[in-house]
Amino acid sequence: MLELLRTRTFVVPWLGQFVSGIGDSAFLVVLVVALAQQSAGLVGLGMAAVSLGAVLSLLAAGFVLDRLSDRTIVIGCDVARFGAALVVWLGLGQSNFVMVVIASGAYGLGQGLYRPSYSALVMELAPDGMLRVANKLRSLGSRSAGLLGAPLGGAISGLGEPRAGILFVSATCLLSVATLVGVRVSVRQGKTDEPVWALATAGVRHVFAHPWQAAWIAQGAIQVSTVIGLVYVATATLLANDSTAFGVVIGAGAAGALAGSVAIPEIKDRSRGRVAVGLVLVQYVEIIALAAGASWVVLAVASLINGYALSWFAVYWVAALQENTEPSAIGRVLAVDALGNQVLSPFGLGFAGFLLAWLGVTDSMIFAGILLAVSVIPVFLVPAAVRMGYSSRGDAVVSDES
């Protein structure tokens, strides 16, 4: 890794990704703090707009990434987020929350496309034989940025006001652009002549032909689109008057995710599905803390635990897909998994805001707990899903027995 850190052509853009990640994490906290001062419903709408923008950009990612240089896309995403952040700043100054929500959607467009385009850029900037190390460094930078950005955004909003936090986010976008000045990469041409719709439906067909994948993707869609959204908006509602504490709680989740990504125990493959279910259910710790109206310190500890568990789960899940899916189909399956997690999020986040405004935090968390239990039912209905696709002996399989 030290050798890679001495490579300027890689390290400078990597620093740009790090700064950009801090801005993204701070933006969500600042946006939620600003909207939570008005109502939980607005928090849900704002987050839903960001998520919807990310979904729309991900739908176009396969087409765009094959036809423009990765550097051009990353710069375009930074410029788009910079412009959207300035519009949010203006909207907050005028208390025009329609403008704020629409601009938040535009920010999400740039945010969603940035990640896959930067991941592709890493492949071109990493020296020969150092791609694996480069990816580890990319992941470390991304998670560390989330850890720093959330409390920083909360602190800036607490010391000044949310508009000051938005200006900070705008500055991170410009700094990210500056790190790409002088970087030269080639333009990749389209890898396939198949229509985008045909590629997408092929991935869906593959997932439904392997019920263990469909079961877990369904579980993730329910959890990400509703339970996680409810927990996030409920946290913002409870800590609406303490932006610094809110940032610390969200940052604690990022810290847990960072710890989970580097300290994951090895277990037998055939046991991973059962362990994965347990990791998903760890979220009850945070749900119960919110339902009880716990202090921000308790919420931070619960967020830390939950972040660790979900990061641990993510590593096992991706490994199971990689080891039990045909190499020719893995890209499409991962795309379906990403869309499964994202496509319902805008609706779930919007629903979360209005549910909290209607029922309050305690009753909404009871509802979230029921949804979390329901989300694991598809897993138990498919024997191969309980083993996460591995054979009954614990071997990795390329073609799953469902």
PDB file of all heavy atoms in Angstrom, residues 89-119:
ATOM      1  N   TRP A  89     -28.776  25.973  -1.078  1.00  0.00           N
ATOM      2  CA  TRP A  89     -28.396  27.119  -0.243  1.00  0.00           C
ATOM      3  C   TRP A  89     -29.345  28.295  -0.462  1.00  0.00           C
ATOM      4  O   TRP A  89     -29.818  28.921   0.499  1.00  0.00           O
ATOM      5  CB  TRP A  89     -26.954  27.506  -0.577  1.00  0.00           C
ATOM      6  CG  TRP A  89     -26.414  28.665   0.211  1.00  0.00           C
ATOM      7  CD1 TRP A  89     -25.932  28.641   1.488  1.00  0.00           C
ATOM      8  CD2 TRP A  89     -26.291  30.023  -0.234  1.00  0.00           C
ATOM      9  NE1 TRP A  89     -25.516  29.885   1.875  1.00  0.00           N
ATOM     10  CE2 TRP A  89     -25.720  30.749   0.838  1.00  0.00           C
ATOM     11  CE3 TRP A  89     -26.589  30.674  -1.409  1.00  0.00           C
ATOM     12  CZ2 TRP A  89     -25.466  32.117   0.754  1.00  0.00           C
ATOM     13  CZ3 TRP A  89     -26.339  32.043  -1.517  1.00  0.00           C
ATOM     14  CH2 TRP A  89     -25.780  32.753  -0.448  1.00  0.00           C
ATOM     15  N   LEU A  90     -29.658  28.581  -1.734  1.00  0.00           N
ATOM     16  CA  LEU A  90     -30.594  29.663  -2.043  1.00  0.00           C
ATOM     17  C   LEU A  90     -31.992  29.343  -1.524  1.00  0.00           C
ATOM     18  O   LEU A  90     -32.680  30.200  -0.961  1.00  0.00           O
ATOM     19  CB  LEU A  90     -30.643  29.896  -3.559  1.00  0.00           C
ATOM     20  CG  LEU A  90     -29.397  30.522  -4.204  1.00  0.00           C
ATOM     21  CD1 LEU A  90     -29.522  30.487  -5.728  1.00  0.00           C
ATOM     22  CD2 LEU A  90     -29.221  31.954  -3.717  1.00  0.00           C
ATOM     23  N   GLY A  91     -32.428  28.095  -1.726  1.00  0.00           N
ATOM     24  CA  GLY A  91     -33.761  27.698  -1.281  1.00  0.00           C
ATOM     25  C   GLY A  91     -33.937  27.810   0.225  1.00  0.00           C
ATOM     26  O   GLY A  91     -34.979  28.259   0.711  1.00  0.00           O
ATOM     27  N   LEU A  92     -32.899  27.414   0.975  1.00  0.00           N
ATOM     28  CA  LEU A  92     -32.979  27.530   2.435  1.00  0.00           C
ATOM     29  C   LEU A  92     -33.036  28.991   2.861  1.00  0.00           C
ATOM     30  O   LEU A  92     -33.747  29.347   3.807  1.00  0.00           O
ATOM     31  CB  LEU A  92     -31.779  26.841   3.088  1.00  0.00           C
ATOM     32  CG  LEU A  92     -31.741  25.306   2.995  1.00  0.00           C
ATOM     33  CD1 LEU A  92     -30.444  24.772   3.609  1.00  0.00           C
ATOM     34  CD2 LEU A  92     -32.947  24.692   3.698  1.00  0.00           C
ATOM     35  N   GLY A  93     -32.299  29.844   2.150  1.00  0.00           N
ATOM     36  CA  GLY A  93     -32.310  31.276   2.478  1.00  0.00           C
ATOM     37  C   GLY A  93     -33.672  31.900   2.264  1.00  0.00           C
ATOM     38  O   GLY A  93     -34.060  32.837   2.963  1.00  0.00           O
ATOM     39  N   GLN A  94     -34.406  31.394   1.282  1.00  0.00           N
ATOM     40  CA  GLN A  94     -35.730  31.935   0.966  1.00  0.00           C
ATOM     41  C   GLN A  94     -36.851  31.125   1.605  1.00  0.00           C
ATOM     42  O   GLN A  94     -38.029  31.409   1.379  1.00  0.00           O
ATOM     43  CB  GLN A  94     -35.927  31.950  -0.555  1.00  0.00           C
ATOM     44  CG  GLN A  94     -34.915  32.790  -1.308  1.00  0.00           C
ATOM     45  CD  GLN A  94     -35.003  32.595  -2.814  1.00  0.00           C
ATOM     46  OE1 GLN A  94     -35.950  32.011  -3.330  1.00  0.00           O
ATOM     47  NE2 GLN A  94     -34.001  33.096  -3.527  1.00  0.00           N
ATOM     48  N   SER A  95     -36.489  30.112   2.398  1.00  0.00           N
ATOM     49  CA  SER A  95     -37.470  29.175   2.987  1.00  0.00           C
ATOM     50  C   SER A  95     -38.367  28.576   1.911  1.00  0.00           C
ATOM     51  O   SER A  95     -39.558  28.321   2.140  1.00  0.00           O
ATOM     52  CB  SER A  95     -38.328  29.898   4.052  1.00  0.00           C
ATOM     53  OG  SER A  95     -37.530  30.309   5.137  1.00  0.00           O
ATOM     54  N   ASN A  96     -37.781  28.347   0.750  1.00  0.00           N
ATOM     55  CA  ASN A  96     -38.505  27.737  -0.376  1.00  0.00           C
ATOM     56  C   ASN A  96     -38.158  26.246  -0.383  1.00  0.00           C
ATOM     57  O   ASN A  96     -37.197  25.821  -1.022  1.00  0.00           O
ATOM     58  CB  ASN A  96     -38.094  28.402  -1.687  1.00  0.00           C
ATOM     59  CG  ASN A  96     -38.920  27.917  -2.871  1.00  0.00           C
ATOM     60  OD1 ASN A  96     -39.478  26.817  -2.846  1.00  0.00           O
ATOM     61  ND2 ASN A  96     -38.997  28.723  -3.911  1.00  0.00           N
ATOM     62  N   PHE A  97     -38.966  25.451   0.297  1.00  0.00           N
ATOM     63  CA  PHE A  97     -38.619  24.050   0.474  1.00  0.00           C
ATOM     64  C   PHE A  97     -38.936  23.201  -0.757  1.00  0.00           C
ATOM     65  O   PHE A  97     -38.404  22.107  -0.911  1.00  0.00           O
ATOM     66  CB  PHE A  97     -39.302  23.502   1.725  1.00  0.00           C
ATOM     67  CG  PHE A  97     -38.801  24.159   2.985  1.00  0.00           C
ATOM     68  CD1 PHE A  97     -39.569  25.092   3.646  1.00  0.00           C
ATOM     69  CD2 PHE A  97     -37.529  23.874   3.456  1.00  0.00           C
ATOM     70  CE1 PHE A  97     -39.085  25.713   4.787  1.00  0.00           C
ATOM     71  CE2 PHE A  97     -37.037  24.495   4.599  1.00  0.00           C
ATOM     72  CZ  PHE A  97     -37.817  25.413   5.269  1.00  0.00           C
ATOM     73  N   VAL A  98     -39.781  23.715  -1.650  1.00  0.00           N
ATOM     74  CA  VAL A  98     -39.976  23.041  -2.935  1.00  0.00           C
ATOM     75  C   VAL A  98     -38.670  23.087  -3.729  1.00  0.00           C
ATOM     76  O   VAL A  98     -38.219  22.089  -4.297  1.00  0.00           O
ATOM     77  CB  VAL A  98     -41.130  23.688  -3.719  1.00  0.00           C
ATOM     78  CG1 VAL A  98     -41.215  23.090  -5.119  1.00  0.00           C
ATOM     79  CG2 VAL A  98     -42.452  23.512  -2.991  1.00  0.00           C
ATOM     80  N   MET A  99     -38.036  24.264  -3.747  1.00  0.00           N
ATOM     81  CA  MET A  99     -36.747  24.413  -4.420  1.00  0.00           C
ATOM     82  C   MET A  99     -35.695  23.514  -3.781  1.00  0.00           C
ATOM     83  O   MET A  99     -34.895  22.873  -4.486  1.00  0.00           O
ATOM     84  CB  MET A  99     -36.284  25.878  -4.347  1.00  0.00           C
ATOM     85  CG  MET A  99     -34.948  26.142  -5.034  1.00  0.00           C
ATOM     86  SD  MET A  99     -34.308  27.820  -4.716  1.00  0.00           S
ATOM     87  CE  MET A  99     -35.571  28.817  -5.506  1.00  0.00           C
ATOM     88  N   VAL A 100     -35.704  23.439  -2.461  1.00  0.00           N
ATOM     89  CA  VAL A 100     -34.721  22.619  -1.742  1.00  0.00           C
ATOM     90  C   VAL A 100     -34.875  21.145  -2.111  1.00  0.00           C
ATOM     91  O   VAL A 100     -33.887  20.457  -2.392  1.00  0.00           O
ATOM     92  CB  VAL A 100     -34.872  22.815  -0.224  1.00  0.00           C
ATOM     93  CG1 VAL A 100     -34.010  21.795   0.532  1.00  0.00           C
ATOM     94  CG2 VAL A 100     -34.475  24.219   0.179  1.00  0.00           C
ATOM     95  N   VAL A 101     -36.111  20.654  -2.140  1.00  0.00           N
ATOM     96  CA  VAL A 101     -36.350  19.240  -2.436  1.00  0.00           C
ATOM     97  C   VAL A 101     -35.955  18.920  -3.877  1.00  0.00           C
ATOM     98  O   VAL A 101     -35.303  17.901  -4.152  1.00  0.00           O
ATOM     99  CB  VAL A 101     -37.824  18.875  -2.178  1.00  0.00           C
ATOM    100  CG1 VAL A 101     -38.139  17.492  -2.729  1.00  0.00           C
ATOM    101  CG2 VAL A 101     -38.126  18.920  -0.685  1.00  0.00           C
ATOM    102  N   ILE A 102     -36.317  19.781  -4.827  1.00  0.00           N
ATOM    103  CA  ILE A 102     -35.969  19.541  -6.231  1.00  0.00           C
ATOM    104  C   ILE A 102     -34.451  19.558  -6.423  1.00  0.00           C
ATOM    105  O   ILE A 102     -33.874  18.693  -7.101  1.00  0.00           O
ATOM    106  CB  ILE A 102     -36.652  20.581  -7.143  1.00  0.00           C
ATOM    107  CG1 ILE A 102     -38.168  20.377  -7.124  1.00  0.00           C
ATOM    108  CG2 ILE A 102     -36.107  20.478  -8.575  1.00  0.00           C
ATOM    109  CD1 ILE A 102     -38.938  21.445  -7.866  1.00  0.00           C
ATOM    110  N   ALA A 103     -33.784  20.536  -5.810  1.00  0.00           N
ATOM    111  CA  ALA A 103     -32.325  20.613  -5.929  1.00  0.00           C
ATOM    112  C   ALA A 103     -31.655  19.420  -5.256  1.00  0.00           C
ATOM    113  O   ALA A 103     -30.607  18.943  -5.714  1.00  0.00           O
ATOM    114  CB  ALA A 103     -31.820  21.917  -5.309  1.00  0.00           C
ATOM    115  N   SER A 104     -32.258  18.906  -4.194  1.00  0.00           N
ATOM    116  CA  SER A 104     -31.709  17.712  -3.537  1.00  0.00           C
ATOM    117  C   SER A 104     -31.758  16.517  -4.480  1.00  0.00           C
ATOM    118  O   SER A 104     -30.845  15.681  -4.495  1.00  0.00           O
ATOM    119  CB  SER A 104     -32.501  17.402  -2.261  1.00  0.00           C
ATOM    120  OG  SER A 104     -32.381  18.454  -1.325  1.00  0.00           O
ATOM    121  N   GLY A 105     -32.822  16.431  -5.293  1.00  0.00           N
ATOM    122  CA  GLY A 105     -32.895  15.373  -6.299  1.00  0.00           C
ATOM    123  C   GLY A 105     -31.785  15.503  -7.322  1.00  0.00           C
ATOM    124  O   GLY A 105     -31.188  14.501  -7.739  1.00  0.00           O
ATOM    125  N   ALA A 106     -31.491  16.753  -7.725  1.00  0.00           N
ATOM    126  CA  ALA A 106     -30.392  16.983  -8.679  1.00  0.00           C
ATOM    127  C   ALA A 106     -29.056  16.595  -8.056  1.00  0.00           C
ATOM    128  O   ALA A 106     -28.172  16.046  -8.729  1.00  0.00           O
ATOM    129  CB  ALA A 106     -30.379  18.454  -9.109  1.00  0.00           C
ATOM    130  N   TYR A 107     -28.897  16.852  -6.754  1.00  0.00           N
ATOM    131  CA  TYR A 107     -27.675  16.438  -6.066  1.00  0.00           C
ATOM    132  C   TYR A 107     -27.545  14.921  -6.094  1.00  0.00           C
ATOM    133  O   TYR A 107     -26.458  14.375  -6.318  1.00  0.00           O
ATOM    134  CB  TYR A 107     -27.695  16.944  -4.620  1.00  0.00           C
ATOM    135  CG  TYR A 107     -26.386  16.770  -3.900  1.00  0.00           C
ATOM    136  CD1 TYR A 107     -25.464  17.806  -3.843  1.00  0.00           C
ATOM    137  CD2 TYR A 107     -26.059  15.564  -3.278  1.00  0.00           C
ATOM    138  CE1 TYR A 107     -24.250  17.651  -3.192  1.00  0.00           C
ATOM    139  CE2 TYR A 107     -24.856  15.402  -2.619  1.00  0.00           C
ATOM    140  CZ  TYR A 107     -23.951  16.438  -2.580  1.00  0.00           C
ATOM    141  OH  TYR A 107     -22.747  16.270  -1.942  1.00  0.00           O
ATOM    142  N   GLY A 108     -28.670  14.237  -5.882  1.00  0.00           N
ATOM    143  CA  GLY A 108     -28.658  12.778  -5.914  1.00  0.00           C
ATOM    144  C   GLY A 108     -28.255  12.227  -7.266  1.00  0.00           C
ATOM    145  O   GLY A 108     -27.596  11.177  -7.348  1.00  0.00           O
ATOM    146  N   LEU A 109     -28.631  12.916  -8.347  1.00  0.00           N
ATOM    147  CA  LEU A 109     -28.220  12.479  -9.694  1.00  0.00           C
ATOM    148  C   LEU A 109     -26.697  12.404  -9.794  1.00  0.00           C
ATOM    149  O   LEU A 109     -26.137  11.421 -10.281  1.00  0.00           O
ATOM    150  CB  LEU A 109     -28.765  13.439 -10.753  1.00  0.00           C
ATOM    151  CG  LEU A 109     -30.241  13.310 -11.135  1.00  0.00           C
ATOM    152  CD1 LEU A 109     -30.662  14.495 -12.000  1.00  0.00           C
ATOM    153  CD2 LEU A 109     -30.481  11.998 -11.881  1.00  0.00           C
ATOM    154  N   GLY A 110     -26.035  13.461  -9.340  1.00  0.00           N
ATOM    155  CA  GLY A 110     -24.574  13.467  -9.383  1.00  0.00           C
ATOM    156  C   GLY A 110     -23.960  12.487  -8.410  1.00  0.00           C
ATOM    157  O   GLY A 110     -22.965  11.825  -8.701  1.00  0.00           O
ATOM    158  N   GLN A 111     -24.581  12.343  -7.257  1.00  0.00           N
ATOM    159  CA  GLN A 111     -24.060  11.442  -6.225  1.00  0.00           C
ATOM    160  C   GLN A 111     -24.122   9.985  -6.669  1.00  0.00           C
ATOM    161  O   GLN A 111     -23.180   9.216  -6.462  1.00  0.00           O
ATOM    162  CB  GLN A 111     -24.870  11.648  -4.947  1.00  0.00           C
ATOM    163  CG  GLN A 111     -24.348  10.899  -3.738  1.00  0.00           C
ATOM    164  CD  GLN A 111     -25.249  11.098  -2.536  1.00  0.00           C
ATOM    165  OE1 GLN A 111     -26.461  10.888  -2.604  1.00  0.00           O
ATOM    166  NE2 GLN A 111     -24.669  11.531  -1.434  1.00  0.00           N
ATOM    167  N   GLY A 112     -25.233   9.589  -7.285  1.00  0.00           N
ATOM    168  CA  GLY A 112     -25.403   8.196  -7.681  1.00  0.00           C
ATOM    169  C   GLY A 112     -24.427   7.756  -8.753  1.00  0.00           C
ATOM    170  O   GLY A 112     -23.851   6.667  -8.693  1.00  0.00           O
ATOM    171  N   LEU A 113     -24.204   8.603  -9.755  1.00  0.00           N
ATOM    172  CA  LEU A 113     -23.335   8.241 -10.871  1.00  0.00           C
ATOM    173  C   LEU A 113     -21.858   8.358 -10.514  1.00  0.00           C
ATOM    174  O   LEU A 113     -21.008   7.732 -11.137  1.00  0.00           O
ATOM    175  CB  LEU A 113     -23.662   9.133 -12.078  1.00  0.00           C
ATOM    176  CG  LEU A 113     -23.085   8.729 -13.426  1.00  0.00           C
ATOM    177  CD1 LEU A 113     -23.451   7.301 -13.778  1.00  0.00           C
ATOM    178  CD2 LEU A 113     -23.563   9.683 -14.515  1.00  0.00           C
ATOM    179  N   TYR A 114     -21.550   9.156  -9.485  1.00  0.00           N
ATOM    180  CA  TYR A 114     -20.148   9.361  -9.104  1.00  0.00           C
ATOM    181  C   TYR A 114     -19.484   8.050  -8.691  1.00  0.00           C
ATOM    182  O   TYR A 114     -18.353   7.763  -9.096  1.00  0.00           O
ATOM    183  CB  TYR A 114     -20.065  10.369  -7.960  1.00  0.00           C
ATOM    184  CG  TYR A 114     -18.655  10.692  -7.513  1.00  0.00           C
ATOM    185  CD1 TYR A 114     -17.999  11.809  -8.004  1.00  0.00           C
ATOM    186  CD2 TYR A 114     -17.966   9.869  -6.617  1.00  0.00           C
ATOM    187  CE1 TYR A 114     -16.696  12.111  -7.604  1.00  0.00           C
ATOM    188  CE2 TYR A 114     -16.675  10.154  -6.212  1.00  0.00           C
ATOM    189  CZ  TYR A 114     -16.049  11.274  -6.709  1.00  0.00           C
ATOM    190  OH  TYR A 114     -14.762  11.553  -6.319  1.00  0.00           O
ATOM    191  N   ARG A 115     -20.176   7.249  -7.888  1.00  0.00           N
ATOM    192  CA  ARG A 115     -19.541   6.067  -7.298  1.00  0.00           C
ATOM    193  C   ARG A 115     -19.108   5.039  -8.339  1.00  0.00           C
ATOM    194  O   ARG A 115     -17.944   4.608  -8.323  1.00  0.00           O
ATOM    195  CB  ARG A 115     -20.490   5.453  -6.267  1.00  0.00           C
ATOM    196  CG  ARG A 115     -20.704   6.365  -5.079  1.00  0.00           C
ATOM    197  CD  ARG A 115     -21.809   5.886  -4.172  1.00  0.00           C
ATOM    198  NE  ARG A 115     -22.092   6.848  -3.121  1.00  0.00           N
ATOM    199  CZ  ARG A 115     -23.099   6.752  -2.266  1.00  0.00           C
ATOM    200  NH1 ARG A 115     -23.913   5.719  -2.342  1.00  0.00           N
ATOM    201  NH2 ARG A 115     -23.294   7.668  -1.341  1.00  0.00           N
ATOM    202  N   PRO A 116     -19.993   4.603  -9.247  1.00  0.00           N
ATOM    203  CA  PRO A 116     -19.516   3.631 -10.236  1.00  0.00           C
ATOM    204  C   PRO A 116     -18.477   4.209 -11.190  1.00  0.00           C
ATOM    205  O   PRO A 116     -17.577   3.496 -11.634  1.00  0.00           O
ATOM    206  CB  PRO A 116     -20.794   3.231 -10.993  1.00  0.00           C
ATOM    207  CG  PRO A 116     -21.760   4.324 -10.746  1.00  0.00           C
ATOM    208  CD  PRO A 116     -21.445   4.851  -9.387  1.00  0.00           C
ATOM    209  N   SER A 117     -18.585   5.500 -11.495  1.00  0.00           N
ATOM    210  CA  SER A 117     -17.603   6.096 -12.417  1.00  0.00           C
ATOM    211  C   SER A 117     -16.234   6.212 -11.758  1.00  0.00           C
ATOM    212  O   SER A 117     -15.206   5.968 -12.390  1.00  0.00           O
ATOM    213  CB  SER A 117     -18.081   7.469 -12.903  1.00  0.00           C
ATOM    214  OG  SER A 117     -18.296   8.351 -11.826  1.00  0.00           O
ATOM    215  N   TYR A 118     -16.202   6.541 -10.459  1.00  0.00           N
ATOM    216  CA  TYR A 118     -14.907   6.585  -9.783  1.00  0.00           C
ATOM    217  C   TYR A 118     -14.325   5.187  -9.630  1.00  0.00           C
ATOM    218  O   TYR A 118     -13.111   4.989  -9.770  1.00  0.00           O
ATOM    219  CB  TYR A 118     -15.014   7.253  -8.407  1.00  0.00           C
ATOM    220  CG  TYR A 118     -13.685   7.253  -7.694  1.00  0.00           C
ATOM    221  CD1 TYR A 118     -12.712   8.199  -8.021  1.00  0.00           C
ATOM    222  CD2 TYR A 118     -13.366   6.271  -6.758  1.00  0.00           C
ATOM    223  CE1 TYR A 118     -11.469   8.165  -7.420  1.00  0.00           C
ATOM    224  CE2 TYR A 118     -12.128   6.244  -6.144  1.00  0.00           C
ATOM    225  CZ  TYR A 118     -11.188   7.191  -6.476  1.00  0.00           C
ATOM    226  OH  TYR A 118      -9.945   7.151  -5.886  1.00  0.00           O
ATOM    227  N   SER A 119     -15.177   4.189  -9.357  1.00  0.00           N
ATOM    228  CA  SER A 119     -14.699   2.810  -9.257  1.00  0.00           C
ATOM    229  C   SER A 119     -14.057   2.363 -10.567  1.00  0.00           C
ATOM    230  O   SER A 119     -13.039   1.667 -10.576  1.00  0.00           O
ATOM    231  CB  SER A 119     -15.855   1.870  -8.894  1.00  0.00           C
ATOM    232  OG  SER A 119     -16.353   2.164  -7.613  1.00  0.00           O
TER     233      SER A 119
END
